[in-house]
Amino acid sequence: MALIRLLPIDPKLDFLGKRQLFMLFSAFLVLGSIGTFFVQGLNFGVDFRGGILMEVETGEPADLGQLRADLGDLDLGEITLQEFGEPTVLLLNISRQDGGDADQRAAIELVQQTLGEQVVEYRRTEFVGPKVGAELRQAGILATVLALGAIGIYIWLRFEWQFGLAALVALAHDVIATIGFFAITQIEFNLATLAAVLTIAGYSINDTVVVFDRVREKLRKFKKMPMPELLNLAINKTLTRTLLTSVTTLLALVALSVFGGEVIRGFTMGLIWGVVIGTYSSVALAVPLLLYMGLRREQLTGGDGDEAQTLPKGAVESGAKSPT
């Protein structure tokens, strides 16, 4: 027997009965993320803040204390030095130097001379000017806002405005919580992690659309069932599918995080967090929000005389099979 058959198709969990607890948790998460962002800020990568980034490989595990002292004597401003996945791989972040490209190249040459024969390979050397970094930050914010707006309009066109607004609130919740995750962990926030944020929005809305589809189906089928009971039924009917999809995605992301190396570690960590929080918001936030938005069955059924079916409270649909 397949192990998947051990999972209940309709677990009958009361999500709507605990909606105030979920709302409170989400509010705490969002406010905490915003507060951490303003107090601690993000650890912007060289993509956004400008400066020089060097990844080097040493023949033997480097003496970080001695290297920091040697590089500090160069008077090049702030220089951060850290191991990058392995004791023999180092990542150097150097403040942008006053002047043009020639001054940046001079700073790079000075660092290379200081590192000397300790380095056996320069894996990458990148320089981003402050103007480019500022433009990338603005473009990233604009891309995120436009993506959320487009998703909200799509949901509005496909369902009703209440669904679009609930989906938009859930997506904003996911994005803000993810920004908070990066602010708390101080994992470098660069273009790759921005891509992770947008990917999370797409993943989360996919889950939300599946649950909303089932809500619409139940609204047309059960015209007299109390709304909280109907929303609970829709969530429970899709819960197994939602959890299985999330777990399989997480397995792939964990493997990518462990074996993918430091270059994509921030991207994968952001996605892992986003998949967890996106799954939570799809079932525990987006659907309960519909209760507060005046959703009426007539908007979906149009009073077209669809066969009405009413179940006693707590009853299970007879003979209903989940397509999930």
Side-chain angles (χ1 to χ4, degrees):
M1 183 179 69
L3 292 177
I4 193 173
R5 294 182 181 175
L6 298 176
L7 296 176
I9 294 176
D10 185 3
K12 297 183 178 64
L13 299 177
D14 184 14
F15 286 90
L16 271 294
K18 298 179 176 58
R19 61 182 181 276
Q20 292 183 345
L21 184 63
F22 291 134
M23 298 287 177
L24 190 63
F25 172 72
S26 293
F28 173 78
L29 190 61
V30 168
L31 293 176
S33 298
I34 293 173
T36 307
F37 172 76
F38 281 108
V39 172
Q40 192 156 315
L42 294 173
N43 177 22
F44 284 116
V46 70
D47 302 337
F48 292 122
R49 62 175 168 74
I52 300 170
L53 176 71
M54 299 175 70
E55 181 182 345
V56 302
E57 180 178 354
T58 58
E60 299 177 351
D63 183 345
L64 295 182
Q66 184 60 48
L67 278 179
R68 286 194 181 98
D70 294 341
L71 293 172
D73 292 338
L74 299 179
D75 195 23
L76 293 176
E78 181 182 357
I79 299 178
T80 60
L81 182 67
Q82 64 185 88
E83 291 182 356
F84 195 59
E86 303 172 23
T88 56
V89 179
L90 304 178
L91 194 67
L92 288 79
N93 278 287
I94 306 166
S95 300
R96 182 187 177 277
Q97 307 301 301
D98 294 333
D101 291 348
D103 297 285
Q104 314 310 317
R105 285 194 293 271
I108 293 172
E109 290 174 2
L110 193 57
V111 171
Q112 290 175 337
Q113 291 172 6
T114 303
L115 294 176
E117 295 181 353
Q118 297 181 73
V119 174
V120 296
E121 181 185 3
Y122 288 90
R123 293 186 171 183
R124 56 172 168 154
T125 302
E126 301 172 1
F127 164 68
V128 178
K131 184 177 179 181
V132 175
E135 290 175 352
L136 287 174
R137 280 200 302 271
Q138 293 174 0
I141 294 172
L142 183 62
T144 305
V145 172
L146 290 178
L148 295 183
I151 289 173
I153 292 173
Y154 165 73
I155 299 298
W156 175 27
L157 293 175
R158 180 167 174 178
F159 297 93
E160 295 291 337
W161 68 265
Q162 293 94 337
F163 290 88
L165 185 57
L168 203 55
V169 172
L171 282 179
H173 165 274
D174 298 344
V175 170
I176 293 172
T178 305
I179 297 295
F181 169 77
F182 280 104
I184 292 172
T185 60
Q186 288 293 295
I187 295 175
E188 185 176 289
F189 193 87
N190 51 32
L191 285 176
T193 46
L194 176 62
V197 172
L198 294 176
T199 305
I200 289 165
Y203 180 89
S204 178
I205 197 61
N206 181 53
D207 260 354
T208 305
V209 165
V210 171
V211 184
F212 280 179
D213 253 335
R214 191 55 62 91
V215 170
R216 181 168 60 181
E217 174 193 319
K218 300 306 177 190
L219 281 170
R220 289 171 173 166
K221 189 173 183 180
F222 303 115
K223 295 183 178 178
K224 296 181 180 179
M225 181 183 289
M227 189 65 80
E229 192 176 338
L230 185 144
L231 296 178
N232 256 335
L233 182 64
I235 294 174
N236 279 284
K237 285 295 183 184
T238 56
L239 191 58
T240 301
R241 174 262 175 207
T242 299
L243 292 179
L244 287 176
T245 303
S246 298
V247 169
T248 51
T249 305
L250 284 174
L251 288 175
L253 288 173
V254 169
L256 201 58
S257 178
V258 173
F259 301 108
E262 287 293 329
V263 175
I264 60 169
R265 184 63 52 79
F267 176 78
T268 53
M269 292 302 292
L271 281 181
I272 289 172
W273 167 258
V275 168
V276 173
I277 207 68
T279 302
Y280 157 78
S281 69
S282 296
V283 299
L285 183 63
V287 176
L289 279 174
L290 294 174
L291 266 186
Y292 301 99
M293 296 185 178
L295 180 64
R296 292 181 292 114
R297 298 164 199 267
E298 294 77 14
Q299 291 175 292
L300 296 172
T301 63
D304 56 2
D306 284 350
E307 182 182 357
Q309 183 179 350
T310 306
L311 291 180
K313 186 175 182 179
V316 181
E317 293 173 278
S318 61
K321 292 183 178 180
S322 171
T324 57

